[in-house]
Structures are given as C-alpha cells and as structure tokens.
C-alpha cells in the first residue's frame, strides 16, 4: 500500500468508529480496535483487549453519551503501516481531547486502533 492508501485506511477506521458510536453500537466501536489494543481513557482507567474495550463503550452508551464530533484533527505518520491521530472531540454530554490514537493497517487491509489515549475534560 502507498502512504496515501494507508492514511485513507486509517481515516476510514475513525469514520467507522464514529459511525458505530453515533449509532449506539458498542460492538461496532470495539471492532475498530486491534484484538490486543490498549485504551487509556482518562479519568476512567486503562482497558486491554476488545472485550474490556467493548464493555467500556457499552457503559458510556448506556449513560446516554452520543453524537461525537472531531475537530482540529491532525494525522502524523508513525511507521510504514501506521498513522497517529490527535484531535479535540465533543459529544452531547462531554468534551475532551484525543492525545494519541495509533491506527495500524492489519493483514486484512483495514486499519485498527492499536493504542488509544483520550481524555474527558469536562461536561456539557
């Protein structure tokens, strides 16, 4: 894959995650993470693997959080198969920042999150 194709796959991944979240689909959110991904969700804690990550997103969805939007999105190349996303985000009940989402293209040609670090900075 070319560098642009890798970046496009990463962008497709974040779009798929956002669509899943906005459709209240925790399993769809978790499907955008690599099998052994690590998610650092401040102030909630660290979640490892797709089962823990799906449970986290299910709990957030059940609390009524929805309508996530990203702004000030920046992508930077990490290596030959990966890009890092950073951004601000808002949703109906909170806002914060994505410090670092490491997206990597896997064997099936789809990009998935390997490492996710975000922070809730306040309520709306």
């Amino acid at each position: 894959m070319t560098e642009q194709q890798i970046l496009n796959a990463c962008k497709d991944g974040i779009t798929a995650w956002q669509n899943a979240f906005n459709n209240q689909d925790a399993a769809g959110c978790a499907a955008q993470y690599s099998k052994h991904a690590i998610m650092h969700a401040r102030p909630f804690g660290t979640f490892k693997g797709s089962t823990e990550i799906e449970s986290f997103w299910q709990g957030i969805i059940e609390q009524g959080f929805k309508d996530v939007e990203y702004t000030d999105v920046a992508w930077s190349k990490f290596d030959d198969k990966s890009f890092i996303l950073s951004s601000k985000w808002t949703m109906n009940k909170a806002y914060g920042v994505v410090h670092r989402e490491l997206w990597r293209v896997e064997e099936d040609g789809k990009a998935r999150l390997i490492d996710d670090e975000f922070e809730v900075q306040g309520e709306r």
Side-chain angles (χ1 to χ4, degrees):
M1 295 179 87
T2 68
E3 186 173 312
Q4 188 61 50
Q5 289 170 320
I6 292 166
L7 177 58
N8 289 343
C10 294
K11 289 179 177 181
D12 290 346
I14 189 61
T15 298
W17 183 90
Q18 184 177 6
N19 289 339
F21 185 81
N22 288 340
N23 287 315
Q24 306 290 272
D25 177 7
C29 292
Q32 304 314 310
Y33 288 81
S34 181
K35 189 177 192 179
H36 302 291
I38 298 173
M39 182 177 75
H40 309 278
R42 295 186 215 160
F44 308 106
T46 298
F47 303 86
K48 298 178 182 177
S50 54
T51 301
E52 286 185 17
I53 290 169
E54 181 176 345
S55 293
F56 172 82
W57 289 121
Q58 186 64 47
I60 293 296
I61 288 167
E62 288 173 0
Q63 293 175 55
F65 290 88
K66 59 185 178 179
D67 302 325
V68 70
E69 297 280 336
Y70 292 85
T71 57
D72 299 332
V73 176
W75 289 96
S76 58
K77 183 177 177 180
F78 181 73
D79 62 23
D80 289 342
K81 293 183 179 182
S82 310
F83 276 82
I84 294 172
L85 173 145
S86 61
S87 71
K88 295 179 182 176
W89 59 266
T90 59
M91 59 178 66
N92 65 322
K93 295 170 72 171
Y95 64 91
V97 296
V98 173
H99 294 288
R100 179 181 189 265
E101 287 184 355
L102 177 57
W103 289 88
R104 176 166 295 140
V105 175
E106 295 188 329
E107 294 299 317
D108 64 0
K110 292 186 179 185
R112 291 186 180 82
L113 277 161
I114 303 299
D115 188 62
D116 184 6
E117 183 178 349
F118 66 91
E119 179 176 2
V120 176
Q121 295 182 318
E123 296 179 6
R124 295 178 67 190

